[in-house]
Amino acid sequence: QVQLVESGGGLVQAGGSLRLSCIASGRTFSSYADAWFRQAPGKEREFVAGMTWSGEDTKYSDSVKGRFTISRDNAKNTVYLQMNSLKPEDTAVYYCAARWAPLVVVVNIVSENYEYWGQGTQVTVSS
C-alpha cells in the first residue's frame, strides 16, 4: 500500500509563504506522477499543481501560476509545494496525490485519475 503524508500547513498572513511536504512510503517515485489538489469549505476539490514522473512537464492552475512551485526530491521520496505570496483565497485543505503513470509525458489534472492520496494539511491565510 502506497501511503502519502502531508505536512507543513498552518496559519500564515497574506503575502507570506509556506512549503508543504508530502512523504511517500511503499513506493519509489520512479514512474509516478505527483500532484497537489486543494479543497475549500463548500467548494469542489481543484487541481493546484502537478508533475510528470520524469519531471519534464509541470502544470499549475491559473490561480496559483507564478506563486506556487511543485518540486520533488527522489532521494527523500518527498514532493514539495512551495507557496509564495499567499492570499486568503488560498485557504483550503491541501492534498498530495500520486498515480502510476509510466511513459505519460503530460500532467493529468483530473483528481479521479490519481490512485493515492494523503490525508490533507490545512492551510489558512489570514487578511
Side-chain angles (χ1 to χ4, degrees):
Q1 175 73 18
V2 174
Q3 292 186 321
L4 306 175
V5 179
E6 303 99 331
S7 63
L11 175 64
V12 65
Q13 291 186 341
S17 298
L18 286 173
R19 189 179 74 164
L20 306 183
S21 299
C22 176
I23 301 175
S25 63
R27 73 165 215 186
T28 62
F29 277 75
S30 181
S31 297
Y32 285 87
D34 297 288
W36 290 91
F37 294 81
R38 68 186 182 188
Q39 187 166 20
K43 296 184 178 180
E44 295 294 319
R45 182 171 50 193
E46 65 172 340
F47 173 82
V48 176
M51 173 180 287
T52 56
W53 70 270
S54 66
E56 293 297 319
D57 187 43
T58 57
K59 186 174 293 181
Y60 299 90
S61 68
D62 290 340
S63 62
V64 307
K65 186 88 171 183
R67 300 188 297 121
F68 291 9
T69 303
I70 185 172
S71 62
R72 181 167 60 208
D73 186 335
N74 287 335
K76 297 180 179 179
N77 287 336
T78 302
V79 181
Y80 302 98
L81 184 68
Q82 179 67 46
M83 306 186 296
N84 298 327
S85 301
L86 284 162
K87 305 174 181 179
E89 49 263 45
D90 294 319
T91 296
V93 177
Y94 284 71
Y95 300 90
C96 65
R99 60 190 292 260
W100 177 251
L103 305 180
V104 177
V105 297
V106 295
V107 173
N108 194 306
I109 68 170
V110 180
S111 63
E112 288 80 3
N113 289 336
Y114 286 81
E115 304 164 87
Y116 309 106
W117 292 84
Q119 83 288 349
T121 185
Q122 176 71 47
V123 172
T124 302
V125 184
S126 63
S127 301

